[in-house]
């Protein structure tokens, strides 16, 4: 699948915003700690991916009812659904000057993941920091995708090819309006 930037300027995929707040002290501090053990952009991106995937539980797995959406809040509360965890990973990547995008898959509800463009790479590579558990084994890879969930077209599932510099408005609105995770499941879009 060819991934398509929704904004042609690569600078958009490095920008800070209210959601992807990579200038926040907690984001900067986390990035600095991860960078300390990473000799290059690839090692840093892989470490940031593993950090978000493995140390921030997916709230559906942990049973946490809180809903986060801002990257710094995801890091502070150590909680989030796939889309919120994607916001945190994008912020950590952009904090170190690595272009990062938000992308989505369609299942029963929209699933959020990340695409990264490392220096020297010609193409974007999708990564899924959702969090592993039995039956889910997402890994950071550039040679091929190893996402949490493969799409099954026969069940009307699909990969959206668009790379967003900012969260899709429908996804962000549902995260911001949800009072708790059960409410969020009612609000999340079923398609983009």
């Amino acid at each position: 699948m060819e991934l398509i930037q929704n904004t042609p300027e690569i600078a958009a995929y490095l920008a800070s915003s209210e959601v992807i707040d990579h200038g926040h002290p907690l984001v900067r501090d986390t990035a600095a700690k991860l960078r300390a053990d990473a000799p290059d952009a690839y090692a840093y991106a892989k470490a940031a991916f593993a950090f978000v995937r493995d140390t921030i539980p997916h709230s559906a797995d942990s049973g946490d009812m809180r809903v986060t959406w801002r990257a710094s809040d995801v890091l502070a509360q150590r909680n989030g659904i796939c889309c919120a965890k994607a916001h945190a990973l994008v912020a950590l990547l952009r904090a170190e000057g690595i272009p990062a995008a938000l992308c989505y898959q369609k299942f029963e509800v929209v699933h959020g993941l990340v695409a990264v463009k490392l220096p020297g790479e010609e193409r974007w590579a999708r990564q899924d920091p959702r969090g592993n558990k039995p039956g889910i084994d997402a890994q950071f890879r550039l040679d091929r995708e190893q996402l949490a969930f493969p799409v099954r077209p026969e069940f009307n599932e699909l990969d959206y090819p668009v790379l967003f510099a900012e969260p899709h408005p429908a996804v962000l609105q549902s995260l911001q309006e949800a009072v708790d995770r059960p409410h969020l499941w009612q609000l999340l879009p079923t398609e983009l």
Side-chain angles (χ1 to χ4, degrees):
M1 174 181 67
E2 182 180 345
L3 299 173
I4 304 160
Q5 293 177 206
N6 78 327
T7 304
E9 298 83 23
I10 199 72
Y13 299 94
L14 292 165
S16 184
S17 67
E18 181 183 13
V19 180
I20 311 298
D21 57 342
H22 63 74
H24 188 280
L26 179 56
V27 178
R28 304 294 310 166
D29 182 56
T30 304
K33 288 175 183 169
L34 293 168
R35 184 181 63 246
D37 295 325
D40 58 27
Y42 173 84
Y44 174 81
K46 187 174 182 180
F49 169 83
F51 177 82
V52 173
R53 181 193 64 193
D54 299 342
T55 71
I56 301 171
H58 188 288
S59 57
D61 296 344
S62 68
D64 196 322
M65 293 296 160
R66 297 173 295 166
V67 176
T68 53
W69 55 270
R70 184 179 289 115
S72 59
D73 292 339
V74 174
L75 295 175
Q77 295 182 32
R78 295 291 173 110
N79 164 67
I81 67 159
C82 56
C83 298
K85 290 181 66 162
H87 299 167
L89 179 55
V90 166
L92 289 171
L93 294 168
R94 290 182 185 181
E96 290 299 311
I98 299 171
L102 297 159
C103 42
Y104 302 94
Q105 295 175 303
K106 177 189 181 294
F107 296 107
E108 289 181 16
V109 295
V110 171
H111 173 65
L113 47 142
V114 169
V116 61
K117 189 164 192 207
L118 290 173
E121 293 290 325
E122 291 295 317
R123 62 179 190 83
W124 290 88
R126 292 192 310 167
Q127 311 295 332
D128 193 341
R130 181 225 179 268
N132 290 339
K133 63 180 187 175
I136 297 176
D137 183 30
Q139 299 295 325
F140 186 88
R141 300 187 68 136
L142 298 181
D143 60 333
R144 66 178 175 85
E145 289 185 341
Q146 191 168 339
L147 306 177
F149 308 110
V151 298
R152 301 167 299 175
E154 65 273 19
F155 292 103
N156 200 29
E157 299 172 352
L158 61 92
D159 286 308
Y160 290 106
V162 178
L163 301 174
F164 293 89
E166 285 294 313
H168 189 281
V171 172
L172 183 58
Q173 181 178 355
S174 64
L175 288 166
Q176 290 175 329
E177 291 180 0
V179 296
D180 59 20
R181 192 170 36 80
H183 186 224
L184 176 60
W185 293 148
Q186 297 171 6
L187 297 178
L188 277 171
T190 57
E191 62 185 350
L192 299 181

